[in-house]
Amino acid sequence: MANTSGNTLLELQQTPAVGSLVSKTLLTNLGLEPLLGWSSWQYVVTILVGVVVYDQVVYLKRKGSIAGPALKIPLIGPFLQAIDPKFEGYLAQWASGPLSCVSVFHRFVVLASDRDIAHKVFKSPTYAEPCIVPIAKDILGQKSWVFLQGKAHAEYRRGLTPLFTNKAMSTYLPAQEKVFTQYFDKFVSTSEENQGRPTAFMTLFREINCAVSCRTFFGDYISQDAIKKITDDFYLATAAMELVNVPFSMYIPFTKQWRGKRVADAVHIEFAKCAAACKAHMATGAKPTCIVDHWVSHMLESNRYREKVAAGEEDVQKPPNLIREFTNEEISETLFTFLFASQDASSSATCWLFQILAQRPDVLDKLRQENLDARGGDRHKPFDLPMLESLTYTTAVIKETLRLRPPVIFVPYLATKDFPITPSYIIPKGSMVIPSCWPALHNPDVYPNPHDFDPDRWISGDAESKTKNWLVFGAGPHDCLARRYVPLSFAGMIGKAALELDWTHHATPKSEEIRVFATLFPMDGCQLVFRKRE
C-alpha cells in the first residue's frame, strides 16, 4: 500500500499541472500555439496593450461625432489637468463645440456648452440625475435629498420651499447683520495688523459666508466655537470634491478625499445635534428665527393636524405646508447640502463683488448713496426685507457680478440611461454629463459686450428678460431654492459695508486671472485694505 502511494506521488510530480494542461489546450484550440513559449513578461505586456486598446476603442465609440481629443491618453486620460484645472482649459473646451468630451480613467464625461442643451439636461430627470462629483454622495450623504428624484425629491422641496418666503427670510436678517458687524470689524483689524498693506481676503470671505450660513441655518443652536471649527475646516470638504479623483482615495489616509470625508462626518454630527436642540426648543412654542426653526415648526404643525384628524375631530384646518417629520439626520444632511451649495459660491461672489466695486468708485458711490437714502440718512440703521427689496441699483450690481463672474460654472449630472441629447448624439448610460452656465451668461447676442461690467443692463437694458440665459441658479426640478434669498443677502452685506467701510483693491498681474476651486476666485486671493468710514 505504501509502495503504491509512493508510485502515485512520483507520477503526479512528473505530470504537468492541470491548469497548465488546460491553458495549453485552450491556446491550441484558439490557434495560438506560438504563445506557448512566451515568458511571463510577454504575457503582462500583451495584456496591458490589450487593456489600452480596449479603453481607446470604448472611448472612440462613446465619443462618436462630438468634439474631443482624437485619441485618449492611455488609461488615465487628462487626469493631471483634472487635479489642477485651469479656467482657460474650460474656455477652450466650451469653444470646441456645443457638445464635447473627455475620458478620465474609464469615466466618460460629456460637457454641454449650448444653452438649450444645458436646459435639456437640467429638465430631463428621466435621463439624468445630479451627481455633482463621484464622491459627492459620500461627502453629502448617501440619501441626501439633492440626489433624489420624483416623489421623494418633491416631498423635500415641498417642505423646504416655504423656508425662503418673505415671511421666513425676514426673520433671518437680524442674525446676519450681527455676523456682518463682527466680521467687518475683523476686516479692519486685519488690515491694521498688516500695517495697511494689502491682504488676500479670500480666506476671510470664506469665513464670513460660513458664519452667515450657520447662523441663518441654526441661529443660536450652534456655538461660536463650532462655527469657527467649521469655517477653518470646511475647505477640506470642498477640496475633496474633485470632478475626477483616484479610485478608492477616500479610504487612503491623508488624501484630500480622506480628509474631506472626516470633516464632513464631523459637520453632520454637529448639525444633527443642532436639529435635536431645535426640536426641543420649538416644542415649547417658541417663535422661529432661523431656517431650521421654520422647518421644525411646520413639522410640529403638521403633526398636530394629523393627531386631531386621527382623534376624529371635524373641521380641522389643514396647515398650508403639510409635511412629514424629518429625522435629525435628514435635517443635518439637508442643511449640509445648503452649506455646500452656499459656502464656496457665496465666497466667490463676495471676492468679486468687493474687488469690482473697489475698481469702480463711481459704481460704489452710487450704491452707497442708494443705501443711505433707503435708511433715511441714518447709515447705522439695521436693514430689513422691504429695504433690501427697494435697492434697485444695488440689486443690479449684484446680478451683474453674478453674471460676469458666475460662482457656479457647471453642474455635473449622471446619465441614468442612454440619453438622446441631440438628434445625432446619444450620451451613453453611466456617463457624466455637465451642462455649463458660463457660455450662456457671456453670450454677446444676449448680453452685449459680455465681458464688461455694466449694472445698467439690468435697469435700462433688457437683461432682466433674458431668463433662459440666466443660469446662475440652474434650472428645472433641481434649481436653487435660494434664488431670491441670495441677492437679498448680498444686498444686506454690501450695502452695510458701503456705508460703514472704505476699501481699496491693490491690483496684481493675477487679479483678473481666475482660479478654479469648486467655484471661481481671483488668482491672487483678492488683495484688499479695509478702513472704518468716518
Side-chain angles (χ1 to χ4, degrees), residues 155-220:
E155 182 180 52
Y156 266 92
R157 284 191 76 97
R158 186 171 63 251
L160 298 173
T161 299
L163 309 182
F164 297 97
T165 60
N166 281 6
K167 180 180 179 181
M169 288 192 296
S170 63
T171 65
Y172 311 151
L173 300 182
Q176 291 184 5
E177 180 134 27
K178 288 181 181 178
V179 173
F180 295 151
T181 298
Q182 173 191 354
Y183 272 88
F184 289 172
D185 288 342
K186 192 170 184 178
F187 292 174
V188 173
S189 64
T190 297
S191 292
E192 289 175 347
E193 289 167 8
N194 202 29
Q195 299 180 338
R197 295 188 296 268
T199 303
F201 267 82
M202 174 181 166
T203 300
L204 273 172
F205 288 154
R206 287 180 61 82
E207 279 193 32
I208 189 174
N209 281 289
C210 190
V212 167
S213 293
C214 286
R215 286 293 177 215
T216 302
F217 299 162
F218 292 111
D220 292 330

Side-chain angles (χ1 to χ4, degrees), residues 20 117 360 404 413:
S20 177
I117 294 178
R360 295 163 176 81
L404 184 66
Y413 277 67

Side-chain angles (χ1 to χ4, degrees), residues 503-521:
W503 64 94
T504 53
H505 176 245
H506 292 254
T508 74
K510 293 186 177 295
S511 292
E512 297 303 323
E513 289 187 29
I514 294 175
R515 176 191 176 192
V516 181
F517 182 70
T519 54
L520 307 183
F521 292 91

Side-chain angles (χ1 to χ4, degrees), residues 356 360 399-406 438 441-442 450-453 520:
I356 287 170
R360 295 163 176 81
K399 295 195 75 170
E400 181 66 353
T401 302
L402 296 176
R403 184 204 64 79
L404 184 66
R405 292 287 184 264
W438 177 281
L441 293 163
H442 292 80
H451 300 290
D452 292 345
F453 181 81
L520 307 183

Side-chain angles (χ1 to χ4, degrees), residues 120-121 124 127-128 415 417-422 425-429 433:
K120 187 170 184 179
V121 177
S124 297
Y127 290 99
K417 60 176 71 173
D418 287 350
F419 188 172
I421 193 71
T422 69
Y425 185 73
I426 297 175
I427 298 174
K429 176 183 177 181
V433 51

Side-chain angles (χ1 to χ4, degrees), residues 128 295 337 468:
W295 195 8
T337 66
K468 286 200 74 173

Side-chain angles (χ1 to χ4, degrees), residues 367-405:
L367 182 148
R368 182 173 281 146
Q369 188 61 52
E370 180 182 58
N371 277 268
L372 186 61
D373 293 344
R375 289 164 171 79
D378 179 3
R379 63 190 178 102
H380 296 293
K381 181 179 180 180
F383 52 75
D384 55 30
L385 194 62
M387 180 194 297
L388 298 181
E389 289 181 321
S390 73
L391 300 172
T392 303
Y393 188 73
T394 303
T395 300
V397 167
I398 292 165
K399 295 195 75 170
E400 181 66 353
T401 302
L402 296 176
R403 184 204 64 79
L404 184 66
R405 292 287 184 264

